[in-house]
Amino acid sequence: QQQVKQSPQSLIVQKGGISIINCAYENTAFDYFPWYQQFPGKGPALLIAIRPDVSEKKEGRFTISFNKSAKQFSLHIMDSQPGDSATYFCAARATGNQFYFGTGTSLTVIP
Amino acid sequence: DVKVTQSSRYLVKRTGEKVFLECVQDMDHENMFWYRQDPGLGLRLIYFSYDVKMKEKGDIPEGYSVSREKKERFSLILESASTNQTSMYLCASSRPGQVYNEQFFGPGTRLTVL
Protein backbone atom coordinates (compact mmCIF):
# COMPACT_ATOMS: atom_id res chain seq x y z
CA GLN A 1 0.00 0.00 0.00
CA GLN A 2 1.36 3.32 -1.06
CA GLN A 3 2.14 5.53 1.93
CA VAL A 4 2.47 8.64 -0.22
CA LYS A 5 0.15 9.07 -3.19
CA GLN A 6 1.41 11.26 -6.02
CA SER A 7 -0.34 12.69 -9.06
CA PRO A 8 -0.29 13.13 -11.96
CA GLN A 9 1.86 10.34 -13.36
CA SER A 10 2.92 12.56 -16.25
CA LEU A 11 2.63 16.23 -17.04
CA ILE A 12 3.26 18.29 -20.14
CA VAL A 13 3.62 22.03 -19.74
CA GLN A 14 4.48 24.84 -22.12
CA LYS A 15 7.62 26.83 -21.46
CA GLY A 16 6.82 29.65 -19.07
CA GLY A 17 3.83 27.86 -17.61
CA ILE A 18 3.24 26.59 -14.08
CA SER A 19 3.80 22.91 -13.28
CA ILE A 20 1.90 21.52 -10.31
CA ILE A 21 2.45 18.10 -8.76
CA ASN A 22 0.38 16.88 -5.84
CA CYS A 23 1.00 14.42 -3.03
CA ALA A 24 -1.13 13.11 -0.21
CA TYR A 25 -0.38 11.02 2.85
CA GLU A 26 -2.17 9.42 5.78
CA ASN A 27 0.49 8.90 8.42
CA THR A 28 0.46 11.89 10.77
CA ALA A 29 3.82 10.79 12.20
CA PHE A 30 5.60 11.93 9.05
CA ASP A 31 7.79 14.89 10.00
CA TYR A 32 9.66 15.99 6.90
CA PHE A 33 8.56 16.27 3.29
CA PRO A 34 11.24 16.55 0.59
CA TRP A 35 10.92 16.65 -3.16
CA TYR A 36 13.51 14.95 -5.33
CA GLN A 37 14.32 15.62 -8.97
CA GLN A 38 15.69 12.90 -11.22
CA PHE A 39 17.16 13.36 -14.67
CA PRO A 40 17.56 10.38 -17.03
CA GLY A 41 20.55 8.26 -16.14
CA LYS A 42 21.00 9.95 -12.78
CA GLY A 43 19.93 9.24 -9.25
CA PRO A 44 17.37 11.48 -7.57
CA ALA A 45 18.66 14.68 -6.01
CA LEU A 46 17.04 16.80 -3.32
CA LEU A 47 15.24 19.78 -4.80
CA ILE A 48 13.37 21.38 -1.92
CA ALA A 49 11.90 20.26 1.39
CA ILE A 50 9.42 21.46 4.01
CA ARG A 51 8.62 20.86 7.67
CA PRO A 52 4.99 20.23 8.68
CA ASP A 53 4.85 23.39 10.81
CA VAL A 54 5.32 25.57 7.72
CA SER A 55 2.61 26.13 5.10
CA GLU A 56 4.84 27.25 2.25
CA LYS A 57 8.46 27.22 1.26
CA LYS A 58 9.90 28.93 -1.79
CA GLU A 59 13.29 28.52 -3.39
CA GLY A 60 13.65 30.37 -6.63
CA ARG A 61 11.03 29.12 -9.08
CA PHE A 62 10.15 26.13 -6.87
CA THR A 63 7.52 26.34 -4.14
CA ILE A 64 6.12 23.71 -1.80
CA SER A 65 2.64 24.30 -0.46
CA PHE A 66 1.76 22.24 2.60
CA ASN A 67 -1.72 21.65 4.03
CA LYS A 68 -1.35 19.79 7.30
CA SER A 69 -5.07 19.40 8.01
CA ALA A 70 -5.71 17.93 4.57
CA LYS A 71 -2.49 15.89 4.69
CA GLN A 72 -1.52 17.13 1.28
CA PHE A 73 1.46 18.93 -0.18
CA SER A 74 2.32 20.09 -3.65
CA LEU A 75 5.23 21.29 -5.73
CA HIS A 76 4.76 24.33 -7.94
CA ILE A 77 7.31 25.14 -10.62
CA MET A 78 6.85 28.69 -11.85
CA ASP A 79 8.02 29.81 -15.28
CA SER A 80 8.74 26.19 -16.22
CA GLN A 81 11.75 25.68 -18.47
CA PRO A 82 12.77 22.81 -20.78
CA GLY A 83 15.66 22.15 -18.38
CA ASP A 84 13.08 21.31 -15.71
CA SER A 85 12.03 18.25 -17.70
CA ALA A 86 12.67 15.40 -15.30
CA THR A 87 10.93 12.98 -13.00
CA TYR A 88 9.85 14.40 -9.66
CA PHE A 89 9.28 12.40 -6.51
CA CYS A 90 7.65 13.57 -3.34
CA ALA A 91 8.63 11.83 -0.14
CA ALA A 92 7.81 11.74 3.54
CA ARG A 93 10.00 10.77 6.44
CA ALA A 94 8.86 8.45 9.20
CA THR A 95 10.60 7.97 12.52
CA GLY A 96 13.98 6.35 12.22
CA ASN A 97 15.01 8.17 9.04
CA GLN A 98 13.00 5.91 6.76
CA PHE A 99 11.56 7.70 3.75
CA TYR A 100 8.47 6.80 1.75
CA PHE A 101 8.43 7.97 -1.82
CA GLY A 102 5.60 8.76 -4.18
CA THR A 103 5.30 7.00 -7.51
CA GLY A 104 6.87 9.86 -9.46
CA THR A 105 5.74 12.42 -12.03
CA SER A 106 7.38 12.69 -15.41
CA LEU A 107 7.43 16.37 -16.36
CA THR A 108 7.99 17.49 -19.93
CA VAL A 109 8.32 21.20 -20.63
CA ILE A 110 7.74 22.01 -24.28
CA PRO A 111 9.78 24.90 -25.70
CA ASP B 1 31.67 17.18 -3.81
CA VAL B 2 29.69 14.41 -2.16
CA LYS B 3 29.58 11.16 -3.99
CA VAL B 4 27.76 7.84 -3.97
CA THR B 5 29.03 5.35 -6.52
CA GLN B 6 27.57 2.07 -7.62
CA SER B 7 29.71 -0.71 -9.05
CA SER B 8 27.82 -1.16 -12.32
CA ARG B 9 25.48 0.98 -14.41
CA TYR B 10 24.08 -2.01 -16.30
CA LEU B 11 24.04 -5.67 -15.36
CA VAL B 12 22.57 -8.71 -17.09
CA LYS B 13 22.24 -11.94 -15.15
CA ARG B 14 20.50 -15.26 -15.57
CA THR B 15 17.76 -16.69 -13.39
CA GLY B 16 19.21 -18.42 -10.36
CA GLU B 17 22.51 -16.57 -10.36
CA LYS B 18 23.81 -14.90 -7.22
CA VAL B 19 24.12 -11.17 -7.81
CA PHE B 20 26.12 -8.59 -5.89
CA LEU B 21 25.44 -4.89 -6.17
CA GLU B 22 28.01 -2.67 -4.53
CA CYS B 23 27.65 0.86 -3.24
CA VAL B 24 30.35 3.13 -1.88
CA GLN B 25 29.97 6.60 -0.37
CA ASP B 26 32.74 9.03 0.46
CA MET B 27 30.83 11.29 2.85
CA ASP B 28 31.41 9.31 6.04
CA HIS B 29 27.65 8.83 6.36
CA GLU B 30 26.32 6.40 8.91
CA ASN B 31 23.03 5.70 7.10
CA MET B 32 22.88 3.79 3.86
CA PHE B 33 19.88 2.56 1.89
CA TRP B 34 18.98 0.31 -1.02
CA TYR B 35 15.90 1.09 -3.10
CA ARG B 36 14.46 -0.35 -6.24
CA GLN B 37 12.77 1.91 -8.74
CA ASP B 38 10.03 0.61 -11.01
CA PRO B 39 7.74 2.57 -13.34
CA GLY B 40 4.50 3.46 -11.65
CA LEU B 41 5.75 2.27 -8.26
CA GLY B 42 8.32 4.90 -7.43
CA LEU B 43 11.16 4.10 -5.06
CA ARG B 44 10.66 1.26 -2.63
CA LEU B 45 13.01 0.60 0.24
CA ILE B 46 14.61 -2.84 0.30
CA TYR B 47 17.06 -2.60 3.23
CA PHE B 48 18.86 0.07 5.17
CA SER B 49 21.71 0.27 7.60
CA TYR B 50 22.44 2.70 10.43
CA ASP B 51 25.93 1.50 11.14
CA VAL B 52 28.53 -1.07 10.29
CA LYS B 53 27.18 -4.60 10.61
CA MET B 54 23.70 -3.29 11.28
CA LYS B 55 20.80 -3.79 8.90
CA GLU B 56 17.08 -3.25 8.93
CA LYS B 57 14.42 -4.56 6.57
CA GLY B 58 12.58 -2.07 4.45
CA ASP B 59 9.27 -2.57 2.71
CA ILE B 60 10.29 -5.24 0.20
CA PRO B 61 13.20 -7.31 1.60
CA GLU B 62 12.07 -10.68 0.24
CA GLY B 63 14.65 -12.22 -2.05
CA TYR B 64 17.39 -9.81 -0.97
CA SER B 65 20.05 -9.61 1.68
CA VAL B 66 22.66 -6.96 2.51
CA SER B 67 26.11 -6.68 3.94
CA ARG B 68 27.85 -3.76 5.58
CA GLU B 69 31.34 -4.64 6.74
CA LYS B 70 32.76 -1.14 6.33
CA LYS B 71 31.14 2.21 6.94
CA GLU B 72 31.54 3.40 3.37
CA ARG B 73 30.33 0.24 1.63
CA PHE B 74 26.85 -1.28 1.48
CA SER B 75 26.22 -4.35 -0.64
CA LEU B 76 22.92 -5.71 -1.90
CA ILE B 77 22.79 -9.43 -2.60
CA LEU B 78 20.29 -11.34 -4.67
CA GLU B 79 20.79 -14.91 -3.50
CA SER B 80 19.03 -16.45 -6.50
CA ALA B 81 18.03 -13.88 -9.08
CA SER B 82 14.57 -14.05 -10.55
CA THR B 83 13.00 -12.25 -13.49
CA ASN B 84 10.79 -10.20 -11.18
CA GLN B 85 13.93 -8.64 -9.75
CA THR B 86 14.64 -6.93 -13.05
CA SER B 87 14.68 -3.28 -12.00
CA MET B 88 16.69 -0.14 -11.38
CA TYR B 89 18.51 -0.33 -8.06
CA LEU B 90 19.45 2.86 -6.26
CA CYS B 91 21.77 3.24 -3.32
CA ALA B 92 21.60 6.26 -1.03
CA SER B 93 23.33 7.56 2.06
CA SER B 94 22.57 10.17 4.68
CA ARG B 95 23.94 11.58 7.88
CA PRO B 96 22.04 10.75 11.05
CA GLY B 97 21.38 13.11 13.87
CA GLN B 98 20.13 15.89 11.63
CA VAL B 99 16.50 16.73 11.89
CA TYR B 100 16.10 17.33 8.19
CA ASN B 101 18.55 15.00 6.55
CA GLU B 102 19.11 14.79 2.84
CA GLN B 103 19.55 11.46 1.11
CA PHE B 104 22.31 11.38 -1.50
CA PHE B 105 21.73 8.91 -4.29
CA GLY B 106 24.03 7.01 -6.59
CA PRO B 107 23.37 6.87 -10.35
CA GLY B 108 21.68 3.49 -10.14
CA THR B 109 22.28 0.00 -11.49
CA ARG B 110 19.88 -1.29 -14.10
CA LEU B 111 19.66 -5.02 -13.55
CA THR B 112 18.11 -7.34 -16.10
CA VAL B 113 17.48 -10.95 -15.11
CA LEU B 114 16.92 -13.27 -18.06
Side-chain angles (χ1 to χ4, degrees), chain B residues 45-59:
Chain B
L45 183 64
I46 304 171
Y47 267 97
F48 57 105
S49 170
Y50 288 149
D51 202 349
V52 175
K53 297 193 184 295
M54 289 183 63
K55 60 184 179 183
E56 297 283 344
K57 291 180 180 179
D59 297 320

Side-chain angles (χ1 to χ4, degrees), chain A residues 17-60:
Chain A
I18 302 173
S19 303
I20 302 174
I21 304 170
N22 300 300
C23 287
Y25 64 97
E26 287 297 326
N27 188 344
T28 55
F30 288 153
D31 65 355
Y32 175 58
F33 300 87
W35 284 88
Y36 281 80
Q37 180 187 54
Q38 184 181 30
F39 293 105
K42 304 284 189 182
L46 181 66
L47 180 64
I48 187 173
I50 197 167
R51 308 188 310 262
D53 57 342
V54 175
S55 62
E56 185 176 282
K57 183 172 182 181
K58 184 174 181 179
E59 289 185 0

Side-chain angles (χ1 to χ4, degrees), chain A residues 13-111:
Chain A
V13 173
Q14 293 276 358
K15 178 182 175 182
I18 302 173
S19 303
I20 302 174
I21 304 170
N22 300 300
C23 287
Y25 64 97
E26 287 297 326
N27 188 344
T28 55
F30 288 153
D31 65 355
Y32 175 58
F33 300 87
W35 284 88
Y36 281 80
Q37 180 187 54
Q38 184 181 30
F39 293 105
K42 304 284 189 182
L46 181 66
L47 180 64
I48 187 173
I50 197 167
R51 308 188 310 262
D53 57 342
V54 175
S55 62
E56 185 176 282
K57 183 172 182 181
K58 184 174 181 179
E59 289 185 0
R61 296 184 294 109
F62 300 91
T63 300
I64 301 178
S65 296
F66 189 85
N67 186 330
K68 190 174 182 178
S69 61
K71 290 183 278 187
Q72 295 175 349
F73 58 111
S74 59
L75 175 69
H76 295 236
I77 306 174
M78 312 300 287
D79 187 26
S80 298
Q81 299 295 313
D84 297 331
S85 297
T87 300
Y88 293 81
F89 294 96
C90 61
R93 189 182 68 175
T95 55
N97 292 321
Q98 183 170 347
F99 284 82
Y100 294 92
F101 286 81
T103 51
T105 297
S106 177
L107 172 65
T108 302
V109 181
I110 299 172

